[in-house]
Every structure is written in structure tokens, then in C-alpha cells.
Amino acid sequence: DWVITTGGIGATHDDLTRQAVAELFEVPLVEFPEAVSIFEVKLGSPLPEKVRELAMIPEGAELVHSTETAAPGFILENLIVLPGIPRLVRAMFPAIADRLRGEKTYRAEMVTKKFESEIADFLGETQEKYPEVKIGSYPVMGNAGHRVRLVLRSRSPEYLDGAMNHLRGRIDG
């Protein structure tokens, strides 16, 4: 339901995300007085032109703030645009987290030394028997030798347990 993007909202020549989002949604970039005020409190007035450009946001967007930076992220329809610096993304995330909540998903993992080709039929059989469970198979090769990590996800802990037990019985058996 949501698209989240990070980066490209700074003041350098290669920061084109704000412009691209405005073009995508066919709206102009407009100066947000709220953003200007926050910059002025933090940096003083008058603002340098490059800082003032950071207050140019696609029309109709909602600003996303954090205490870590004066520069805002923004939300437009189902698109969330955040800065590219991981620390700033983490700082802004609490402001958007409630929008991203959905039904709880449960997860279980197991690792086997068998090859995917050896367990492919078991995985397919388990997926058919438990369609409410998503099963991912991820080969891992490294110093510990060949392994396959199986990740199961479901919104139902009962189905997840059933699928995991079924799979363990088939793979370990």
C-alpha cells in the first residue's frame, strides 16, 4: 500500500527526488512556510538560497519532521519520501510508523544442509497444504558450507506452527 523512498531531497545538483515526485504526481513544487520557519529557527534568517530550496515540496504533501534535522521528509498520497542518511531515516520513522501498521505477521526460520533440489518437492507440498503461509528458500554458501535458510511467514501463528512442523517432519525425516 505504501512506497517508501530515501535520499535525493538535499541541496546538491543530484538531489532530484522532490522534483521527480512533483512530476510524477503532476503538481508544482511550492514553498512550505512551516518548513521555512523551522529552518529559520535552526539556522537564522535570512536563509541561504540552497537551504530555502529544501522547503520546496510537492504541493499537497504532508511534511515529516524529526528532532535530528530541520530538513523535512514528506508524504504525498501513498508515497513516503525520507532523507538518504540512515540516522535521519530512523529519527523520522516514529512520525510515520502508525500509518504503516497492519496485521501482525509471524515468522519462523529453519536451516538445513540439504540442497534446494532435495527439498523443493517438500516446500511445494507444504505451500499447497498451508496456503496462508509464505515460504521463502534462501541458499547460503560460505565458510560453514552449503546451507538453505527457510523463512516462513503468516498472519496466523497456528498455520505457521503447522507448516513449520510439517516441513521439519519432511526435511528432517
Side-chain angles (χ1 to χ4, degrees), residues 18-164:
R18 288 179 288 117
Q19 295 88 331
V21 170
E23 285 181 34
L24 176 69
F25 286 93
E26 298 178 343
V27 297
L29 285 175
V30 296
E31 187 174 87
F32 272 61
E34 178 186 353
V36 171
S37 294
I38 291 169
F39 282 123
E40 287 176 341
V41 166
K42 193 144 188 143
L43 304 173
S45 184
L47 292 174
E49 186 59 33
K50 283 295 179 186
V51 173
R52 197 166 194 101
E53 285 178 18
L54 297 176
M56 299 295 290
I57 308 290
E59 187 175 58
E62 173 188 343
L63 299 183
V64 178
H65 297 289
S66 84
T67 56
E68 293 288 317
T69 181
F74 62 91
I75 300 170
L76 187 57
E77 295 185 22
N78 70 329
L79 176 63
I80 300 171
V81 179
L82 301 175
I85 301 168
R87 176 178 59 83
L88 299 181
V89 172
R90 283 190 294 277
M92 286 185 180
F93 198 80
I96 63 168
D98 284 344
R99 296 169 195 245
L100 303 176
R101 295 197 194 283
E103 256 185 272
K104 184 170 182 169
T105 299
Y106 299 89
R107 172 189 164 125
E109 282 190 34
M110 71 179 284
V111 176
T112 180
K113 290 187 178 188
K114 294 186 177 179
F115 289 90
E116 277 185 310
S117 58
E118 295 176 271
I119 62 172
D121 288 341
F122 304 145
L123 295 176
E125 174 189 296
T126 305
Q127 186 67 81
E128 274 188 41
K129 186 170 181 170
Y130 296 93
E132 306 84 356
V133 177
K134 292 183 174 153
I135 302 171
S137 174
Y138 308 99
V140 179
M141 295 177 197
N143 294 338
H146 177 83
R147 301 180 322 275
V148 175
R149 183 171 57 95
L150 302 174
V151 180
L152 286 71
R153 292 182 179 88
S154 179
R155 293 203 165 120
S156 164
E158 293 81 19
Y159 285 122
L160 182 66
D161 288 344
M164 186 57 102

